[in-house]
Amino acid sequence: MTRGLLVAAAAAAALALAATAQAGARIDAAVVALKSDPVYVDPTAELAIGAADQARLRQKIDTAGAGPVYIAILPLATEQETGGDPDGVLQELHDGVGRPGTYAVVVGRHFRAGSEGVLQPGAAGRLATEALDAHRGDGVTATLLDFVDRVADAQQNGGVAPSGGGGGSEEPGTGGGVLIGVLALGAIGFIAFRAVRSRRRAQAELAEVKAAAHDDLIALADDVQKLEQPVESNAPAKQEYEAALTNYEQASGAYDRATRTKQLEGVATALEEGRFHMAAAEALLAGKKPPERRAPCFFDPRHGPSTRDVEWAPPGGTPRKVPACEADAQAVERGLEPASRQVVAGGRTVPYWSAPPYFGPWAGGYFMPFGGMGFLSGLFVGELLGGAYGGWGAGSWGGSGNAGGFGSWSGDSGGSDFGGGMDFGGGDFGGGSGGGGGGDF
């Protein structure tokens, strides 16, 4: 049973790398970059844009409320990595990054877009075509900026591109009744839209936090597996090892059952206890006394129990005492910044302590046995997790007015452009008529 769990965890980790492994060198580079930055430009691309325009795109993605948007500008030669097909490049980027969102790629002079979990199938392609038609003579940057705005409008419209209104005559005496009917339908539609949007946001937030918890499960599984043979000759160490296995199984079960971010608190708490038993087993194997039961290392709870408290300040914040493992404590005392546990939030990689508040239950779960959310006297949830120290999570978190970095992205909208039956769209930058339902610059 336990070995089966470990094998499954290892298999999941291997599958997560499979898509990237299948792509070519240029696509691989784009995938790696897009996992931490929503805009990637290959400097050898025929339509490469400069740093200033890239910054404009990033700002637009952060503030427009379009949901997660990933944009890559690549040279035409990239098509050869997918059999000469720009749609294939878009597919490989999506599969490699492996996250819901709207993806847009300029390959040579071809512009393609698709979406998973944000827009309805086909919507991203139509929006790409419209943006290209509207800015045919304005260049790549103007087209992509307009595309992001159109995605934001569609995302606010339930994942469907807004349509223009029509005209027509009205029978005498029916105006008031029609108006009342329209207002009633509008109110019902608004309530339904808010409910759907709230549910999608919750699903998206859960997916992000579960991804972080999954990484933690894999890390503990790997470490437990390394001790399987050494503990056989040491009964006290084996007892601690078995306790760690039990904690791992508890964490894994809680992870599988979790349908809300709050429920991931139990995953972190079980993992923290498992880490302590692992540290105890390792100490016994080395002929040492098991460590004191202390809070885990603040910088990365996967480091296991802290050894002492050290004074540390987040960027722009007030110094406070935080628990740290010995290596991180010494780093702080030497004036270095320890590498903090990173999570992906809104498409960006950030320290877990500057992630949005919905990461709070999972993060706080590590410290639950030591006073819970109040253990760090407000340093943890509410101050750091809310971005109060001026990180990119400050205020409305990226300027979007909503937690989530790339605006108020809404998770699963019930469809996808990726996988079987691809439904991409866009056009070409250049002379003549564009393919894919688009046009040319």
Side-chain angles (χ1 to χ4, degrees):
M1 173 66 177
T2 299
R3 291 184 180 178
L5 288 170
L6 295 177
V7 170
L15 286 174
L17 299 175
T20 301
Q22 293 173 355
R26 292 185 178 87
I27 293 177
D28 283 350
V31 165
V32 170
L34 289 175
K35 287 184 176 181
S36 59
D37 189 331
V39 177
Y40 172 73
V41 178
D42 187 316
T44 66
E46 290 82 351
L47 297 180
I49 60 176
D53 284 343
Q54 293 177 41
R56 290 175 62 195
L57 272 177
R58 293 185 184 97
Q59 182 179 26
K60 174 66 72 173
I61 292 170
D62 273 349
T63 59
V69 176
Y70 303 94
I71 296 175
I73 300 177
L74 305 171
L76 181 62
T78 310
E79 291 184 5
Q80 302 310 312
E81 298 179 7
T82 60
D85 181 9
D87 288 349
V89 175
L90 184 66
Q91 180 76 57
E92 290 286 357
L93 288 178
H94 163 267
D95 293 348
V97 175
R99 300 171 189 158
T102 301
Y103 291 74
V105 63
V106 177
V107 189
R109 310 190 77 82
H110 305 304
F111 180 28
R112 295 292 185 270
S115 186
E116 177 196 2
V118 178
L119 305 181
Q120 295 291 340
R126 290 191 294 275
L127 296 175
T129 300
E130 292 171 4
L132 189 56
D133 288 343
H135 297 278
R136 192 176 303 274
D138 300 329
V140 176
T141 301
T143 301
L144 293 174
L145 290 170
D146 184 48
F147 172 72
V148 174
D149 278 333
R150 291 174 188 270
V151 171
D153 290 342
Q155 200 265 1
Q156 298 297 323
N157 195 46
V160 180
S163 58
S169 61
E170 181 182 299
E171 292 294 328
T174 65
V178 170
L179 178 59
I180 292 173
V182 168
L183 290 175
L185 289 174
I188 294 171
F190 176 75
I191 293 171
F193 171 73
R194 288 291 297 270
V196 170
R197 181 178 176 185
S198 178
R199 185 177 69 252
R200 291 174 181 166
R201 180 180 295 116
Q203 291 172 340
E205 292 172 356
L206 176 64
E208 287 188 340
V209 184
K210 287 196 82 168
H214 182 264
D215 289 345
D216 294 350
L217 281 167
I218 295 297
L220 181 59
D222 288 344
D223 290 344
V224 167
Q225 196 170 30
K226 293 174 185 176
L227 288 186
E228 184 174 8
Q229 295 302 321
V231 298
E232 289 299 324
S233 59
N234 188 314
K238 186 173 183 179
Q239 185 176 358
E240 295 290 350
Y241 170 81
E242 294 291 348
L245 282 178
T246 298
N247 292 141
Y248 173 81
E249 291 175 359
Q250 291 171 343
S252 182
Y255 175 89
D256 291 338
R257 293 188 299 270
T259 57
R260 295 182 292 116
T261 56
K262 171 65 176 174
Q263 294 169 324
L264 291 167
E265 180 181 281
V267 176
T269 299
L271 288 173
E272 181 279 325
E273 186 172 354
R275 282 284 172 197
F276 169 74
H277 289 300
M278 283 291 296
E282 290 170 347
L284 290 168
L285 286 172
K288 299 178 181 178
K289 182 180 177 180
E292 175 189 357
R293 183 71 189 275
R294 285 179 49 91
C297 177
F298 168 79
F299 298 101
D300 191 338
R302 294 175 299 183
H303 292 170
S306 59
T307 59
R308 54 195 173 96
D309 294 342
V310 64
E311 192 170 80
W312 171 83
T318 303
R320 306 215 185 167
K321 292 285 188 179
V322 296
C325 66
E326 189 59 32
D328 285 347
Q330 291 184 21
V332 172
E333 290 169 347
R334 292 197 303 269
L336 304 176
E337 182 69 20
S340 292
R341 168 77 166 95
Q342 301 289 302
V343 298
V344 175
R348 286 188 176 183
T349 302
V350 297
Y352 79 104
W353 41 260
S354 69
Y358 54 82
F359 277 83
W362 160 77
Y366 281 107
F367 297 87
M368 191 57 62
F370 309 94
M373 299 299 188
F375 176 73
L376 294 179
S377 303
L379 178 65
F380 217 29
V381 179
E383 289 189 23
L384 283 181
L385 284 172
Y389 288 121
W392 69 288
S396 62
W397 219 63
S400 66
N402 298 280
F406 293 137
S408 55
W409 74 288
S410 60
D412 184 10
S413 64
S416 170
D417 290 324
F418 299 96
M422 293 181 295
D423 189 9
F424 304 137
D428 299 334
F429 299 83
S433 60
D440 302 331
F441 278 83

